[in-house]
Amino acid sequence: MRAMSHSQQNRPSQSVPLSPMLIELQLEQIQLVRERNPQSALVLCQHILKQLEPGTPHWLHAQLTYAHILITVGQPQQALQLCQRFSATCERRGYDDRARSLYLNACGIANTYMGNFIAAQQYFQQLLEHAQHIGNLRDECRAYINLGWVYTSLEDFPTALAFFSRSLALSQQLQLDSAQAVTLENMGIIYSSLGNQELALENFRHAYQIRQQGGYTTAVAQSILNVAAVEHCKGHHRKALSMARQACKIARHCREHRLESYCLALMSRAYCELGYPRRALQTARSALRIRQDASYLPELCSSYADLGKIYLHLNSPDQACEHFERAYELATELNDPGMLATICQELYLLAKQHCAYERALHWLELCHHWNAAAIQRRKEDESSRQMMLETIAKMSRSHEDFRRQIHELEAIIEDQRREIRRLVLELAAKAPLPEPSVPATPIVATRELIQTAGNRLDNAAWFDHVLQRMDLILPGFVEALASRFPALSSMELLICALLRLQMRSKEIAELLGVTPKTVNRHREHIRAKCSIGRGVNLVTYLNSIA
């Protein structure tokens, strides 16, 4: 092999531009990696984004793929914020069908994770209509799965099963193993919720077999855990323990900490049922540490309750009471009446066992209170669910009209803003000026004042000079504001004047040489000092001051 010359060795490597076909293939591979190992997919997607030119269609596809990975690693809010940056582009019909599908799917999943089921249903319905319009059966199958997922969250199981049946038929037709496994798993969750453990177990096992053949590591762990949970409910604790260990090992290897904590929690319950309380204690503590690091509040509450039960098996009533009371605090923070009633029942039995009758009576009264609250909550949830479904149907019918009205209102607001600026300029031109004439616009006038005085925000004389000049543009405003609210500082008076001129926080920050956060903080101070409620617009309030 010929040796490289010194000049060749020192020559910087040039990045070879990727072909469009290669980019799409890489993004498809990243989607497959995401199902096996989300953290690796995150790194790969970041690497591809560095090689693409911003603003190109493939760069947009990569950004939306990155949003899907963010959801998988537990960051739905960041994913939704990323998608909203491209909403104007992706919502234009016919611009880029692939980007629109990715965008609608990511927004729907992120909203579902965040509990915004109405918004999620709208996005998934749009995805279904878009997929049927362009004839993309894969996206149609994905839309059916996601709609079933939303209706499962709303506990409308018949509608959810109808959507899952469609997605199952379509995934079998297209031979989409991953989609078929997800559908079966979701159907298993519904059957388990309805108390049909045999049918749930059958679906979970079928999903596990499909995923095991495809090698979807993280998904395999989830399937194993689902089967283990059903086996545990049926009383097969040794089998459940063995399967939970297997799932835990895979989750730990993939760094899926939340899934690992679920596996450890199930293992601790199985150990407890099998008569190994010390092993159960060690495993439950491991689950608690993971959940404390990640601040998973519902799971954290469950862990403390599990530890309380284990300490009861170990005849450590003081430690059991301590953990139950900690679980009670977290359940109160979560406002979960069912969990609170269960914990109060445990504390009542514990106090009664140790003849602490006053405390036992206290916990018994709380138990009755939270049981009644849980029943009332269930009734309210059923009523709310029905209302939510009706609202979803209504909003789906009027969705396009609503968006069109928003665009029309935005155009009207922009016209009004331009008209206000024009009127401000006319007033500024008519104002009597003892000194040389005020520049053409208020922004130019203020900028010249700042440049003349050297932008001394810490100089009281500078503020007096600027506010005196501002009084030429807004006659009597600064004086009236200062007399009505003497607690306002010079900086806050100046910001009020600029807001009265319809300037935005970002423009004010650029004008004064400060950050937008500083301007927003001053706005909060102005609201507090002027006793302006949250429901009142600050600019509208300032416009009302003569």
Side-chain angles (χ1 to χ4, degrees):
M1 185 180 293
R2 189 171 60 183
M4 293 176 66
S5 66
H6 181 71
S7 61
Q8 286 174 323
Q9 290 175 352
N10 292 332
R11 185 180 301 160
S13 60
Q14 297 179 353
S15 59
V16 180
L18 301 176
S19 67
M21 185 178 295
L22 182 59
I23 294 169
E24 291 300 328
L25 285 173
Q26 287 183 339
L27 292 177
E28 286 182 12
Q29 289 298 317
I30 286 173
Q31 289 283 21
L32 294 176
V33 173
R34 176 175 67 90
E35 296 172 352
R36 298 180 174 90
N37 193 328
Q39 296 293 341
S40 298
L42 201 66
V43 174
L44 289 170
C45 198
Q46 289 170 345
H47 178 69
I48 284 187
L49 280 168
K50 291 177 182 177
Q51 302 178 58
L52 296 176
E53 183 181 351
T56 60
H58 297 298
W59 176 82
L60 179 59
H61 294 176
Q63 288 281 9
L64 294 170
T65 302
Y66 187 71
H68 280 84
I69 302 170
L70 285 176
I71 297 169
T72 308
V73 298
Q75 300 178 30
Q77 191 166 4
Q78 291 88 329
L80 191 59
Q81 290 172 354
L82 179 61
C83 289
Q84 286 171 349
R85 288 170 48 192
F86 313 113
S87 60
T89 303
C90 295
E91 289 183 0
R92 281 160 47 195
R93 294 183 181 275
Y95 172 72
D96 188 333
D97 291 334
R98 178 63 181 155
R100 181 172 170 78
S101 296
L102 288 168
Y103 166 78
L104 293 171
N105 194 47
C107 288
I109 295 173
N111 275 292
T112 305
Y113 272 110
M114 294 166 65
N116 303 327
F117 299 122
I118 293 178
Q121 192 269 350
Q122 291 172 356
Y123 280 116
F124 291 145
Q125 190 65 42
Q126 286 184 69
L127 175 62
L128 177 61
E129 293 169 1
H130 177 66
Q132 290 173 340
H133 177 70
I134 64 176
N136 190 322
L137 294 180
R138 282 173 172 263
D139 286 341
E140 185 177 345
C141 180
R142 186 179 291 113
Y144 284 137
I145 292 172
N146 291 334
L147 282 166
W149 182 27
V150 170
Y151 281 102
T152 302
S153 301
L154 294 170
E155 296 184 2
D156 185 359
F157 297 133
T159 306
L161 283 172
F163 280 117
F164 286 137
S165 298
R166 295 180 191 176
S167 67
L168 186 61
L170 202 53
S171 61
Q172 289 172 343
Q173 175 189 338
L174 299 173
Q175 297 182 349
L176 300 174
D177 292 341
S178 177
Q180 191 176 346
V182 169
T183 303
L184 289 167
E185 196 165 71
N186 279 285
M187 292 174 78
I189 291 170
I190 293 175
Y191 291 134
S192 180
S193 301
L194 295 172
N196 193 336
Q197 302 298 338
E198 292 296 332
L199 201 52
L201 188 60
E202 181 183 340
N203 279 272
F204 286 145
R205 282 176 174 166
H206 193 181
Y208 169 66
Q209 291 170 359
I210 292 171
R211 283 173 164 167
Q212 194 177 34
Q213 292 171 0
Y216 303 131
T217 310
T218 306
V220 165
Q222 183 64 62
S223 292
I224 295 172
L225 182 61
N226 288 334
V227 176
V230 175
E231 294 289 359
H232 181 71
C233 290
K234 294 174 68 178
H236 304 156
H237 304 303
R238 289 193 181 278
K239 192 171 183 179
L241 178 62
S242 174
M243 299 189 78
R245 279 178 181 161
Q246 185 183 354
C248 185
K249 184 177 179 181
I250 297 172
R252 189 178 293 124
H253 174 73
C254 296
R255 297 180 182 177
E256 283 290 320
H257 301 303
R258 191 166 193 166
L259 184 58
E260 182 185 354
S261 74
Y262 278 113
C263 297
L264 290 168
L266 183 58
M267 287 168 62
S268 71
R269 296 189 191 109
Y271 275 130
C272 209
E273 293 290 341
L274 292 169
Y276 301 112
R278 295 199 177 278
R279 287 189 183 179
L281 180 63
Q282 182 182 0
T283 313
R285 282 175 174 170
S286 299
L288 180 64
R289 279 194 296 272
I290 293 173
R291 290 169 174 179
Q292 282 175 328
D293 292 340
S295 298
Y296 300 143
L297 283 185
E299 295 89 343
L300 199 58
C301 178
S302 178
S303 284
Y304 277 111
D306 287 344
L307 281 166
K309 293 175 184 177
I310 294 168
Y311 278 118
L312 282 178
H313 283 279
L314 291 169
N315 294 321
S316 301
D318 292 339
Q319 288 179 305
C321 184
E322 178 185 343
H323 283 82
F324 278 132
E325 287 178 351
R326 179 62 181 138
Y328 182 82
E329 291 174 7
L330 289 169
T332 305
E333 187 177 344
L334 292 167
N335 193 21
D336 186 344
M339 177 67 78
L340 285 163
T342 304
I343 296 168
C344 288
Q345 177 72 16
E346 295 288 350
L347 287 165
Y348 159 70
L349 293 173
L350 192 60
K352 183 181 176 182
Q353 183 181 354
H354 291 82
C355 302
Y357 296 116
E358 289 186 7
R359 289 188 62 78
L361 182 61
H362 167 72
W363 290 117
L364 184 59
E365 289 174 350
L366 282 176
C367 183
H368 289 318
H369 166 74
W370 289 118
N371 272 322
I375 293 170
Q376 182 64 27
R377 173 74 65 84
R378 197 173 294 114
K379 290 179 180 177
E380 291 174 356
D381 287 347
E382 181 63 28
S383 175
S384 298
R385 184 181 69 83
Q386 190 61 35
M387 290 176 62
M388 188 179 293
L389 292 174
E390 292 173 2
T391 305
I392 287 173
K394 290 177 182 177
M395 293 186 71
S396 297
R397 290 191 295 267
S398 61
H399 181 71
E400 291 300 328
D401 291 339
F402 180 69
R403 284 191 172 277
R404 187 165 55 253
Q405 289 172 11
I406 288 176
H407 291 314
E408 290 173 359
L409 285 172
E410 287 176 348
I412 292 170
I413 290 169
E414 191 59 35
D415 291 341
Q416 289 177 346
R417 191 184 295 278
R418 284 195 293 267
E419 180 65 17
I420 289 169
R421 289 182 181 277
R422 186 186 65 77
L423 292 173
V424 166
L425 292 177
E426 287 184 4
L427 288 172
K430 293 177 182 179
L433 300 176
E435 297 180 12
S437 61
V438 176
T441 66
I443 296 177
V444 174
T446 308
R447 185 175 289 113
E448 287 187 0
L449 285 174
I450 293 171
Q451 291 173 350
T452 304
N455 193 7
R456 296 286 302 279
L457 294 179
D458 57 342
N459 190 323
W462 179 85
F463 275 110
D464 292 339
H465 177 65
V466 171
L467 292 173
Q468 189 176 10
R469 292 283 296 171
M470 289 301 296
D471 202 44
L472 298 174
I473 300 174
L474 298 171
F477 172 75
V478 175
E479 183 179 354
L481 188 65
S483 62
R484 185 180 296 187
F485 304 108
L488 291 174
S489 66
S490 298
M491 181 67 163
E492 290 161 354
L493 287 170
L494 178 57
I495 288 176
C496 286
L498 296 175
L499 289 171
R500 175 74 178 256
L501 293 176
Q502 306 302 311
M503 292 179 65
R504 300 177 183 177
S505 295
K506 187 176 180 181
E507 295 172 335
I508 295 172
E510 182 181 357
L511 193 61
L512 300 180
V514 295
T515 64
K517 286 185 178 179
T518 302
V519 176
N520 289 331
R521 189 168 62 251
H522 281 299
R523 291 182 68 152
E524 291 299 322
H525 292 166
I526 292 165
R527 279 183 170 277
K529 292 178 182 180
C530 297
S531 302
I532 303 172
R534 286 288 174 191
V536 180
N537 184 277
L538 178 57
V539 177
T540 304
Y541 181 83
L542 293 173
N543 287 335
S544 68
I545 297 175

